[in-house]
Amino acid sequence: MTAEQPPAEQLPAETLAAFVAIVGEKHALTAPDDQAPYLTEWRRLYTGQTPLVLRPGSTEEVAAIMKLAHATRTPIVPYGGNTGLVGGQIAHNGEVMVSLERLNRVRSVDARGNTMVAEAGVTLASVQQAAEEAGRLFPLSIASEGTCQIGGNLATNAGGLQVLSYGNARALVLGLEVVLADGRVWNGLRALGKDNTGYDLRDLFIGSEGTLGIITAAVLKLWPRPKSKATAFIALGSLEDAGRLFEMAHGMCAGELTAFELLPRRGMDFVLRHVDGARDPFAEAHPWYALLEISSQQPDEAANTTAENMLMAAAEEGALADGVLAASLTQAADFWRLREMMSEVQLHEGGSIKNDVSVPVADLPEFIRRGMEAVEAVVPGCRPVPFGHYGDGNIHFNISQPEGMDKAAFLARWDDVAEAINKLVLEYGGSISAEHGIGYMKRDILPTVKSDVEMDMMRRIKAALDPEGILNP
């Protein structure tokens, strides 16, 4: 979306020295061993290069970095917890990297006002803990929450497991503090539920993947903690049963249905094979499974009662093959572990081509079936593992390599497999990126799925906020 910039390794020595002076030598990493953790994403698909990793300790230092970068036209890649899945956090062409890890303070918690101000480098788990200590809930929940940082969550508009009730990251934020490309600081840390004074600048930066500004802090929305919770693991005979079960659960549980996840048998087999202590909740294998969570503000057994009534009704309608309601917090955690490990275990099965897509919920059974047929036609013998957030139409359509196939040869078919899935997604009016973003992986695909008008509007916004094209180019 912007012109190519000169690699940062070609910058004059005095410019690099000026960057180092802003944060101090201790927080400016130049040695290859020190830089290595910042240059490879966790799936090892991308390895970057940089002359300098800067670790500022304040918003003022981030601003000074960007002021210098703007003046010298130095390309910058903002860096969070390195949990991104599309390569957007990696310096691919020698850009200077700016890690927000030292901006790790929870500045304030207002339990009465249900808000928290957290800096960009605070991990999601730490935000959740701070909310819990105040008797509140911050509902964003993803598998990488112990590592991912709130700035990255907002820059990618993270989704996760409880979107059904609480929405994506965008819906969990009231205000932002952002360092602009020229070093100016926008202080939009307003804890207001309503503010119609002009354009909503906040939403420009959420989901922009560090291309418009660097988020340094946010006002986050908090909720009352549920007084009761129920978790159910359900065996399904078909994808159509998944659709019927979701319709019933959504109708009967109203706003209390906080999660509805779909798991395929193949993915379950991978988890049971590679995760110590993982156990199948059922004596017999089933083609598909659903993991449901119901949260209630009513005390005692209210959530369990709602879940039991829903499961009984679904059984009477033939919408499930079997089901078990977690009898303890430990068993509920075991159920969630089966879901949360589903992506990671695919590393043990060889190459894995991953797609993060969404289609209308009503179309999911047909889309998943046709998608599996499509990828098997491209790579015969491949092992599709479509799973994820059925309740909001977001499926992680992952494909593991055929048994016995060379890993490199399989991964070389990535574009062909992705094209087959994306073509189908667009047929259903869906999105090629539901929650992972565009990043490096999908940047060349973006113009093929957006209209000329949309691309023009995005380019104009980019040019207005980052005229030198230095932010995450």
Side-chain angles (χ1 to χ4, degrees), residues 12-170:
E14 58 268 26
T15 300
L16 294 178
F19 278 119
V20 172
I22 292 171
V23 299
E25 291 187 4
K26 179 181 178 180
H27 299 296
L29 308 181
T30 56
D33 288 347
D34 293 335
Q35 291 183 353
Y38 300 85
L39 294 175
T40 302
E41 52 96 55
W42 72 274
R43 288 184 300 174
R44 297 182 288 278
L45 286 179
Y46 302 110
T47 300
Q49 55 177 324
T50 183
L52 196 58
V53 177
L54 299 172
R55 302 190 304 161
S58 66
T59 299
E60 291 73 21
E61 288 186 356
V62 177
I65 289 169
M66 291 312 305
K67 183 176 181 180
L68 177 60
H70 182 75
T72 58
R73 299 188 72 243
T74 302
I76 298 290
V77 172
Y79 181 91
N82 197 21
T83 59
L85 294 169
V86 288
Q89 72 274 34
I90 301 297
H92 294 272
N93 297 297
E95 300 92 343
V96 169
M97 299 184 69
V98 176
S99 170
L100 282 300
E101 62 193 295
R102 293 180 60 222
L103 274 70
N104 57 9
R105 294 184 304 124
V106 173
R107 295 183 185 175
S108 64
V109 179
D110 179 3
R112 292 182 62 190
N114 289 301
T115 62
M116 174 193 303
V117 180
E119 294 181 339
V122 181
T123 65
L124 176 54
S126 295
V127 168
Q128 294 168 339
Q129 181 179 350
E132 185 173 353
E133 290 172 355
R136 293 294 182 264
L137 169 74
F138 184 67
L140 184 62
S141 178
I142 54 182
S144 60
E145 56 198 28
T147 306
C148 65
Q149 297 171 8
I150 204 69
N153 296 150
L154 303 185
T156 57
N157 189 28
L161 302 172
Q162 301 194 79
V163 169
L164 267 176
S165 287
Y166 300 103
N168 286 352
R170 190 185 305 277

Side-chain angles (χ1 to χ4, degrees), residues 378-456:
V378 175
V379 183
C382 70
R383 296 172 290 167
V385 188
F387 71 99
H389 318 305
Y390 191 101
D392 55 44
N394 175 198
I395 294 296
H396 301 298
F397 212 115
N398 297 354
I399 303 99
S400 288
Q401 71 181 61
E403 294 178 342
M405 184 178 184
D406 177 72
K407 179 178 179 179
F410 174 67
L411 293 179
R413 304 299 306 278
W414 190 298
D415 289 345
D416 297 330
V417 171
E419 183 179 0
I421 291 295
N422 291 341
K423 181 179 179 181
L424 198 57
V425 166
L426 297 178
E427 182 180 327
Y428 286 94
S431 170
I432 65 164
S433 180
E435 63 178 4
H436 292 168
I438 296 300
Y440 187 79
M441 180 183 291
K442 299 181 181 181
R443 67 175 187 170
D444 293 333
I445 303 174
L446 185 63
T448 70
V449 300
K450 291 289 189 182
S451 70
D452 291 343
V453 172
E454 289 172 309
M455 291 302 298
D456 181 61

Side-chain angles (χ1 to χ4, degrees), residues 74-413:
T74 302
I76 298 290
V77 172
Y79 181 91
N82 197 21
T83 59
L85 294 169
V86 288
Q89 72 274 34
I90 301 297
H92 294 272
N93 297 297
E95 300 92 343
V96 169
M97 299 184 69
V98 176
S99 170
L100 282 300
E101 62 193 295
R102 293 180 60 222
L103 274 70
N104 57 9
R105 294 184 304 124
V106 173
R107 295 183 185 175
S108 64
V109 179
D110 179 3
R112 292 182 62 190
N114 289 301
T115 62
M116 174 193 303
V117 180
E119 294 181 339
V122 181
T123 65
L124 176 54
S126 295
V127 168
Q128 294 168 339
Q129 181 179 350
E132 185 173 353
E133 290 172 355
R136 293 294 182 264
L137 169 74
F138 184 67
L140 184 62
S141 178
I142 54 182
S144 60
E145 56 198 28
T147 306
C148 65
Q149 297 171 8
I150 204 69
N153 296 150
L154 303 185
T156 57
N157 189 28
L161 302 172
Q162 301 194 79
V163 169
L164 267 176
S165 287
Y166 300 103
N168 286 352
R170 190 185 305 277
L172 311 179
V173 179
L174 290 172
L176 293 178
E177 177 184 83
V178 180
V179 175
L180 303 179
D182 59 6
R184 290 179 297 163
V185 179
W186 171 50
N187 185 348
L189 294 175
R190 302 182 186 93
L192 300 175
K194 290 183 177 180
D195 180 6
N196 282 321
T197 53
Y199 299 136
D200 191 341
L201 301 176
R202 172 196 60 187
D203 278 355
L204 276 177
F205 297 100
I206 298 175
S208 67
E209 301 182 61
T211 62
L212 300 179
I214 299 179
I215 296 171
T216 51
V219 181
L220 306 175
K221 295 166 65 175
L222 306 180
W223 275 260
R225 293 175 60 191
K227 293 184 173 63
S228 61
K229 188 178 291 188
T231 305
F233 206 93
I234 300 169
L236 303 168
S238 68
L239 286 166
E240 282 71 24
D241 286 346
R244 294 166 62 199
L245 179 66
F246 173 70
E247 187 174 349
M248 293 186 68
H250 195 247
M252 293 181 64
C253 304
E256 295 184 342
L257 181 64
T258 47
F260 190 105
E261 299 288 305
L262 179 73
L263 297 78
R265 181 64 210 184
R266 179 176 281 126
M268 281 279 289
D269 287 339
F270 288 178
V271 174
L272 296 172
R273 187 180 304 159
H274 299 294
V275 177
D276 291 339
R279 294 185 298 176
D280 194 326
F282 306 106
E284 298 180 2
H286 299 271
W288 298 93
Y289 302 89
L291 177 57
L292 277 69
E293 184 175 88
I294 294 171
S295 302
S296 174
Q297 289 302 322
Q298 300 301 314
D300 302 323
E301 296 297 312
N304 271 351
T305 299
T306 299
E308 288 171 354
N309 292 338
M310 185 272 297
L311 293 178
M312 288 176 60
E316 291 174 0
E317 292 292 328
L320 57 81
D322 203 349
V324 57
L325 199 59
S328 65
L329 293 176
T330 298
Q331 190 174 25
D334 288 342
F335 289 169
W336 276 109
R337 191 178 183 213
L338 294 172
R339 161 63 181 88
E340 290 166 353
M341 294 301 294
M342 193 149 290
S343 182
E344 183 175 327
V345 295
Q346 291 169 52
L347 289 169
H348 303 292
E349 293 289 329
S352 178
I353 296 174
K354 301 182 184 296
N355 301 272
D356 164 52
V357 299
S358 63
V359 299
V361 174
D363 294 325
L364 276 174
E366 183 179 78
F367 164 74
I368 293 172
R369 184 180 300 104
R370 290 182 63 193
M372 294 172 70
E373 294 171 353
V375 297
E376 288 166 357
V378 175
V379 183
C382 70
R383 296 172 290 167
V385 188
F387 71 99
H389 318 305
Y390 191 101
D392 55 44
N394 175 198
I395 294 296
H396 301 298
F397 212 115
N398 297 354
I399 303 99
S400 288
Q401 71 181 61
E403 294 178 342
M405 184 178 184
D406 177 72
K407 179 178 179 179
F410 174 67
L411 293 179
R413 304 299 306 278

